[in-house]
Amino acid sequence: MKAAHRMKKILIVGAGRTAIALISYLVEKSEKNNWKITVADQSKKLAEEKTRKYPNVRAISLDVNDSIRRRKEVANADIVVSLVPPHLHIKLVKDCLAGKTNLVTASYVSEEMKKFHKQASEAGIIMLNEMGLDPGIDHMDTMKLLSKINKNGGKVYSLKSYGGGLITPESDDNPWGYKITWNPMNIVRAGSANARYIKNGKLKIVPYNRIFLDTQIVDVPGFGKYEAYPNRDSVKYRKIYRLPDLQNVYRGSLREIGFCEAWNALVRIGLTDDGYIVPNSKDISYREWLSAYLERVNGRTTKENLTKFLGITSKSMILKKLNWLGILNDKKINLKDATPAEILLDLIKQKWKFKKSDRDMVILQTEIEYELRAKKEKVISSLVVKGENFNHTAMARTVGLPLGIGVNLILNNKLKERGVIIPIHKDIYQPALKELAELGIEFTEKTVEII
Amino acid sequence: MKAAHRMKKILIVGAGRTAIALISYLVEKSEKNNWKITVADQSKKLAEEKTRKYPNVRAISLDVNDSIRRRKEVANADIVVSLVPPHLHIKLVKDCLAGKTNLVTASYVSEEMKKFHKQASEAGIIMLNEMGLDPGIDHMDTMKLLSKINKNGGKVYSLKSYGGGLITPESDDNPWGYKITWNPMNIVRAGSANARYIKNGKLKIVPYNRIFLDTQIVDVPGFGKYEAYPNRDSVKYRKIYRLPDLQNVYRGSLREIGFCEAWNALVRIGLTDDGYIVPNSKDISYREWLSAYLERVNGRTTKENLTKFLGITSKSMILKKLNWLGILNDKKINLKDATPAEILLDLIKQKWKFKKSDRDMVILQTEIEYELRAKKEKVISSLVVKGENFNHTAMARTVGLPLGIGVNLILNNKLKERGVIIPIHKDIYQPALKELAELGIEFTEKTVEII
């Protein structure tokens, strides 16, 4: 790392929703630390909007594909926080290696990113990933719980963790209980990578068209019950958390109860596919589109063909949800050469719009079961954060603050690890969880005996 | 095009199975035409094997990724026949443009290929694609039939076409009635691009997990009944054949009856997916792999869990086929980091091996319905070609000969079209079908009245 005691430069790339909480956190610490902050975005206007309140923060326009300017800005910084879409991180990784600049992201470590571990270690720099909410805070809380159980001599045999980007009950005004508070295409394509987890010591593989049926009910103490569907690869966490003998490893995403069976209907019909273009998508109606997937019976309406296909009655909550979404409408789709997923994306952007008066809510819950002195116990650790308002969302806060804390730890030389890392190390998660709690992001813990 | 009357040079890239019939066709015509033939393959040995009988044919080693040598060889040729995997054609396309060299392939015109139409036209060269069996001979026969109906004043309202790369009844010694006579990964992934066709004037979209259920029985006159499942995009043929008002447009692939319901079981379970790695694929058994997708009931065997999942009895032909394939075996998979599709590929390569004593069989059938003088008629045009032996397959012959005929037509300046084309033009399909018939590849036609 570069020499201490001088002014340090932070480059934030991407001025989207998450940037708000991150910038405000870093600005607050910048005077004491002698930090100079730059916020870069393809849209200079967006960068300026996010930094207007802070005269000492520099806002610039930067096209991530402009390799010359990008490389110059990265080389000039001590640390980069990348808020760009995950597939673009790798461009910054190469510049960081060239400029010996540290990097922090809130994204999963990709196979591509993993390959740079050795080079980054040798360059003496840190590439801290998965430093957001989920992945991020989830790792930290899990590691803290595991460390405590381990210290007491407990033997962990089950690890389950749930996360959800939802809305507050007061903002719920539609039959799905859901609105768009994060990347909408990721919502449409959720589950399409299939799911793998360990149940009772055995491998479970759940293909896409059964994922939203393979649900479980999760009770979040004080907040009620939610529904979880399995995330893509939970199996690898046996290795990451160094617990090769876990009998249960499961990570799931949370939705309102009833969401999953209705979304499963969309998947089963075929409306979430992104692999082909719907012929004539500009000129056909939503109803004609839906009808193309169903068996048409003479004299039956599309609604009747739909309920027949799904094996439900006309009173079903599934039908109510699908109908509300608009897939039975005679309105034209009006999208040229669109895939099914793109048509659905366009629909949910209208229907599940997060409105000015809405507030979001994020939930994380970790459930660990272990044996301690011949007894079985379960610890349930829960975090529920509600957004302040439309702009200051819980999502931006719970992703942005860990990123900011990561920057602070790195620039103040608090971490001994180098290379491509995630926050499972004690020198990261201990101070980070402590600071998050001070900022109001605190888990509630409950331990029960399993009889 | 280059000047006539001088020696013309033909470059064949790829010396796989299809090359045999193509080389022998071209060699036969080379003396009269003053052609010089070069066969290039990554493996010089393979190129030499295929040309051993022909002392005047040059065999060279050529790595398609070696752009300098590739460009030189292409520039030196008057025409290139590309037998490389479809995604590699584009490298040759660019060299052909640079060298003003014509190109012939048996592959579908990709979106990428399509973009070079203008450039190729302006360069005055021909890029003739879909000049094999299916696509290829199917286009030619369809265009011939349509032209005849049109000339008689008939109005076509339905167009169905079926194709299959199968084995002769005498070579059938397994419960699936199927062996590998073409690209085995394409067999595993068949249907994964979904299917779209027009039925009774309306769009039908069939997602992957229902494609092998959406079958129809096809009677091939004199050869018995087969089962067809729908191909990816049949809708576009309304445009290609300039018949925008077709009430039925369908293209399907043929299998032995009973194949599809069993293959559908593999798709439904999830064993054909290529999107993720099966955890620990090297060390688990086929049975453990299969079991990961099923609901495990205490005291029940994997076979029982499987029949329960599929809703079949233990006497079902589906179970017999799946069992024969080996997915219930306790043998280790022994493939590191394999996807489900890769595991299945490895299995079928063993189980569906095309043996030395086997003969393949290809089928093409076109069924066109039309109104003529207030009556409805249907013409059924069928082609069945059996392979001579293990090396001289029907597949190689029915793909290789159209390619050779395409070369002959182009080098003798018989075509007026330029740019990226397919054999739907009269100056291609008329002489090509005539020559194919002389070579024993001839359709049988039957017209019936529809009552």
Side-chain angles (χ1 to χ4, degrees):
Chain A
M1 281 204 283
K2 299 182 186 186
H5 308 302
R6 57 168 182 84
M7 188 180 78
K8 300 257 173 91
K9 291 177 187 151
I10 302 169
L11 173 66
I12 298 171
V13 185
R17 289 190 151 266
T18 309
I20 293 187
L22 170 65
I23 296 169
S24 116
Y25 173 90
L26 292 176
V27 165
E28 220 234 304
K29 293 220 159 6
S30 61
E31 200 173 334
K32 188 182 121 197
N33 283 288
N34 195 17
W35 290 342
K36 174 72 190 163
I37 305 167
T38 299
V39 176
D41 196 282
Q42 188 150 19
S43 151
K44 191 171 182 185
K45 192 164 157 271
L46 195 64
E48 282 172 344
E49 259 172 48
K50 295 284 159 56
T51 56
R52 191 171 296 140
K53 287 201 298 186
Y54 314 112
N56 291 327
V57 175
R58 177 178 160 241
I60 61 167
S61 86
L62 179 69
D63 177 353
V64 187
N65 293 309
D66 177 349
S67 53
I68 294 169
R69 281 208 53 219
R70 191 190 65 218
R71 182 154 292 203
K72 198 178 138 228
E73 288 293 340
V74 171
N76 196 33
D78 293 277
I79 193 163
V80 170
V81 184
S82 176
L83 301 177
V84 296
H87 69 277
L88 294 174
H89 290 328
I90 217 71
K91 292 177 189 282
L92 292 164
V93 165
K94 289 175 187 168
D95 298 342
C96 284
L97 284 169
K100 300 219 173 191
T101 307
N102 299 289
L103 176 70
V104 186
T105 85
S107 308
Y108 281 105
V109 175
S110 63
E111 286 303 313
E112 218 183 347
M113 175 81 80
K114 219 183 265 179
K115 289 183 189 137
F116 289 98
H117 175 64
K118 198 162 167 262
Q119 268 181 274
S121 299
E122 284 167 3
I125 58 173
I126 298 172
M127 297 195 168
L128 174 56
N129 296 278
E130 309 192 12
M131 192 65 188
L133 168 67
D134 175 5
I137 300 178
D138 58 340
H139 286 312
M140 302 191 223
D141 184 52
T142 300
M143 286 308 295
K144 179 189 153 190
L145 296 170
L146 288 175
S147 154
K148 192 173 149 196
I149 295 165
N150 191 42
K151 212 167 130 187
N152 291 340
K155 192 174 150 40
V156 173
Y157 62 88
S158 173
L159 174 60
K160 294 182 180 178
S161 115
Y162 309 93
L166 306 165
I167 48 171
T168 60
E170 309 81 53
S171 308
D172 175 10
D173 55 15
N174 78 52
W176 292 78
Y178 199 75
K179 290 185 183 180
I180 297 172
T181 62
W182 55 297
N183 183 324
M185 197 48 157
N186 287 356
I187 295 173
V188 173
R189 298 289 296 151
S192 62
N194 304 271
R196 283 85 68 202
Y197 58 91
I198 307 287
K199 186 179 174 181
N200 300 327
K202 286 182 173 146
L203 176 64
K204 283 283 293 176
I205 304 180
V206 192
Y208 183 31
N209 63 356
R210 299 200 286 278
I211 279 186
F212 289 93
L213 288 182
D214 187 45
T215 55
Q216 40 190 281
I217 298 297
V218 181
D219 187 12
V220 181
F223 287 86
K225 291 186 163 63
Y226 292 85
E227 199 168 68
Y229 67 86
N231 287 353
R232 48 181 80 189
D233 184 8
S234 300
V235 177
K236 68 177 178 196
Y237 288 88
R238 289 203 292 196
K239 209 170 178 179
I240 291 170
Y241 295 139
R242 298 203 182 107
L243 292 165
D245 301 323
L246 279 178
Q247 292 296 295
N248 290 291
V249 197
Y250 175 95
R251 288 167 63 91
S253 293
L254 298 174
R255 294 286 186 272
E256 282 286 323
I257 289 176
F259 178 100
C260 292
E261 59 170 11
W263 189 263
N264 178 67
L266 296 174
V267 175
R268 252 188 79 202
I269 298 167
L271 305 186
T272 61
D273 202 293
D274 202 27
Y276 61 90
I277 283 166
V278 173
N280 205 15
S281 60
K282 196 167 168 51
D283 291 316
I284 62 174
S285 70
Y286 290 102
R287 181 194 294 274
E288 286 171 296
W289 172 48
L290 169 63
S291 187
Y293 296 84
L294 306 173
E295 200 189 336
R296 294 181 179 97
V297 179
N298 265 345
R300 281 218 188 119
T301 63
T302 306
K303 193 186 274 187
E304 285 163 348
N305 290 331
L306 176 63
T307 52
K308 175 93 195 308
F309 173 84
L310 295 173
I312 57 176
T313 72
S314 63
K315 309 265 188 218
S316 163
M317 283 303 292
I318 295 176
L319 182 63
K320 190 180 171 186
K321 289 189 178 77
L322 299 185
N323 198 17
W324 181 88
L325 214 50
I327 60 170
L328 282 155
N329 282 0
D330 285 316
K331 219 181 103 184
K332 277 195 181 175
I333 291 172
N334 204 20
L335 292 172
K336 194 169 181 289
D337 293 342
T339 66
E342 286 166 351
I343 297 173
L344 203 53
L345 174 69
D346 185 64
L347 257 187
I348 68 166
K349 274 182 171 175
Q350 302 160 40
K351 290 291 186 163
W352 288 348
K353 197 179 168 69
F354 189 63
K355 293 196 300 247
K356 280 282 172 195
S357 57
D358 288 333
R359 289 168 67 209
D360 74 326
M361 179 171 84
V362 303
I363 300 180
L364 268 191
Q365 183 157 304
T366 308
E367 300 182 4
I368 302 180
E369 296 181 28
Y370 52 95
E371 274 190 53
L372 182 64
R373 289 182 284 276
K375 279 197 298 192
K376 284 184 179 177
E377 288 184 353
K378 179 180 186 173
V379 56
I380 300 163
S381 178
S382 321
L383 173 72
V384 179
V385 181
K386 293 182 180 181
E388 269 176 63
N389 55 42
F390 179 79
N391 283 316
H392 292 83
T393 62
M395 188 66 89
R397 195 167 159 76
T398 52
V399 175
L401 291 179
L403 286 170
I405 292 169
V407 170
N408 190 19
L409 290 170
I410 292 172
L411 290 186
N412 281 299
N413 293 317
K414 299 291 190 193
L415 309 189
K416 55 180 185 299
E417 294 78 20
R418 293 293 178 273
V420 175
I421 59 171
I422 63 172
I424 54 171
H425 304 283
K426 201 164 250 175
D427 56 0
I428 307 176
Y429 73 76
Q430 264 189 348
L433 286 173
K434 188 165 169 282
E435 194 170 350
L436 285 168
E438 286 160 11
L439 293 162
I441 299 177
E442 190 170 16
F443 282 83
T444 313
E445 243 178 79
K446 189 172 103 171
T447 303
V448 294
E449 196 177 332
I450 301 171
I451 312 165
Chain B
M1 281 206 284
K2 299 182 188 185
H5 308 303
R6 58 169 181 81
M7 187 180 78
K8 301 256 174 90
K9 292 177 186 151
I10 303 169
L11 174 65
I12 298 170
V13 186
R17 289 190 151 268
T18 308
I20 293 188
L22 170 65
I23 296 170
S24 115
Y25 173 90
L26 292 176
V27 166
E28 220 232 304
K29 292 219 160 3
S30 60
E31 201 173 334
K32 187 183 121 197
N33 284 288
N34 195 18
W35 290 340
K36 175 71 190 164
I37 305 167
T38 299
V39 176
D41 196 281
Q42 189 150 20
S43 151
K44 190 170 181 186
K45 191 162 157 273
L46 195 64
E48 282 171 343
E49 258 173 47
K50 295 283 159 56
T51 56
R52 191 171 298 141
K53 286 203 296 187
Y54 314 110
N56 291 326
V57 175
R58 177 178 159 240
I60 61 167
S61 86
L62 178 68
D63 179 351
V64 186
N65 294 309
D66 177 349
S67 53
I68 294 170
R69 282 209 52 218
R70 192 189 65 219
R71 182 153 291 205
K72 198 178 138 229
E73 289 293 339
V74 171
N76 196 33
D78 294 275
I79 193 163
V80 170
V81 184
S82 176
L83 301 177
V84 297
H87 70 278
L88 294 173
H89 290 328
I90 216 71
K91 292 178 190 281
L92 292 163
V93 164
K94 289 176 187 168
D95 298 342
C96 284
L97 284 169
K100 301 219 173 191
T101 307
N102 300 289
L103 176 70
V104 186
T105 84
S107 308
Y108 281 104
V109 174
S110 63
E111 286 303 314
E112 218 183 348
M113 176 80 80
K114 221 184 263 178
K115 289 183 189 137
F116 288 99
H117 176 64
K118 199 163 166 262
Q119 270 181 273
S121 300
E122 285 167 3
I125 58 172
I126 299 172
M127 296 193 169
L128 174 57
N129 296 278
E130 308 192 12
M131 193 64 188
L133 169 67
D134 176 5
I137 300 179
D138 58 340
H139 286 312
M140 302 191 223
D141 184 52
T142 301
M143 286 308 296
K144 180 188 153 191
L145 297 171
L146 289 176
S147 155
K148 193 174 149 196
I149 295 165
N150 192 41
K151 212 166 129 189
N152 291 339
K155 194 175 148 40
V156 172
Y157 62 87
S158 172
L159 174 60
K160 294 183 180 178
S161 116
Y162 308 94
L166 306 165
I167 49 171
T168 60
E170 308 80 55
S171 308
D172 175 11
D173 54 15
N174 77 53
W176 292 78
Y178 198 76
K179 290 185 182 179
I180 297 173
T181 62
W182 54 297
N183 183 324
M185 197 48 157
N186 287 357
I187 295 173
V188 172
R189 298 290 294 151
S192 62
N194 304 270
R196 284 85 68 202
Y197 59 93
I198 306 287
K199 187 179 174 181
N200 301 327
K202 286 183 171 146
L203 176 65
K204 282 284 292 178
I205 304 181
V206 192
Y208 183 30
N209 63 355
R210 298 200 287 279
I211 279 187
F212 289 93
L213 288 182
D214 186 45
T215 55
Q216 42 190 280
I217 298 297
V218 180
D219 187 11
V220 181
F223 287 87
K225 291 187 163 61
Y226 292 86
E227 198 169 67
Y229 66 86
N231 287 354
R232 48 181 81 191
D233 184 8
S234 301
V235 178
K236 67 176 179 197
Y237 289 87
R238 290 204 290 196
K239 208 169 178 180
I240 291 171
Y241 295 139
R242 297 201 182 109
L243 293 164
D245 301 323
L246 279 178
Q247 292 297 296
N248 290 291
V249 197
Y250 174 94
R251 288 167 64 91
S253 294
L254 298 174
R255 294 286 187 271
E256 282 286 325
I257 289 177
F259 179 100
C260 292
E261 60 169 12
W263 189 263
N264 178 68
L266 296 174
V267 174
R268 253 189 78 204
I269 298 167
L271 304 186
T272 60
D273 203 292
D274 202 29
Y276 60 91
I277 283 166
V278 173
N280 205 15
S281 59
K282 195 166 167 52
D283 292 316
I284 62 175
S285 70
Y286 291 100
R287 181 194 295 275
E288 286 171 294
W289 174 47
L290 169 63
S291 188
Y293 296 84
L294 307 173
E295 200 189 334
R296 295 183 179 95
V297 179
N298 264 343
R300 282 217 188 121
T301 64
T302 307
K303 192 185 275 187
E304 286 162 347
N305 290 331
L306 175 63
T307 52
K308 176 91 192 313
F309 173 83
L310 295 173
I312 58 177
T313 71
S314 63
K315 308 266 186 220
S316 163
M317 283 303 292
I318 295 177
L319 183 63
K320 189 181 171 185
K321 289 188 179 74
L322 298 186
N323 197 17
W324 182 88
L325 214 50
I327 59 171
L328 282 155
N329 282 0
D330 285 316
K331 218 181 103 183
K332 278 195 183 176
I333 291 172
N334 204 20
L335 293 172
K336 195 170 182 288
D337 294 341
T339 67
E342 286 165 352
I343 296 174
L344 205 52
L345 174 70
D346 186 63
L347 258 187
I348 67 165
K349 274 183 172 174
Q350 302 161 40
K351 290 290 185 164
W352 287 348
K353 198 179 168 67
F354 188 64
K355 293 194 301 242
K356 279 284 172 195
S357 56
D358 288 333
R359 289 167 67 208
D360 74 328
M361 180 171 80
V362 304
I363 300 180
L364 268 192
Q365 182 158 306
T366 308
E367 300 182 4
I368 302 180
E369 296 181 28
Y370 52 94
E371 273 190 54
L372 182 64
R373 291 183 282 276
K375 281 197 299 192
K376 284 186 178 174
E377 288 185 353
K378 180 179 185 174
V379 56
I380 300 164
S381 178
S382 321
L383 173 72
V384 179
V385 181
K386 292 183 180 180
E388 268 177 65
N389 55 41
F390 179 79
N391 283 316
H392 293 81
T393 61
M395 188 66 90
R397 193 166 161 78
T398 52
V399 175
L401 291 180
L403 286 170
I405 292 169
V407 170
N408 190 20
L409 290 171
I410 292 172
L411 290 188
N412 282 300
N413 292 317
K414 300 289 190 194
L415 310 189
K416 55 180 184 300
E417 293 79 20
R418 292 294 178 273
V420 175
I421 59 171
I422 64 172
I424 53 170
H425 304 283
K426 201 164 254 178
D427 56 359
I428 307 176
Y429 72 76
Q430 262 189 350
L433 285 174
K434 188 165 168 278
E435 193 171 350
L436 285 168
E438 287 161 11
L439 293 162
I441 299 177
E442 190 168 17
F443 283 83
T444 313
E445 245 177 80
K446 189 171 103 174
T447 303
V448 293
E449 196 177 334
I450 302 170
I451 313 168

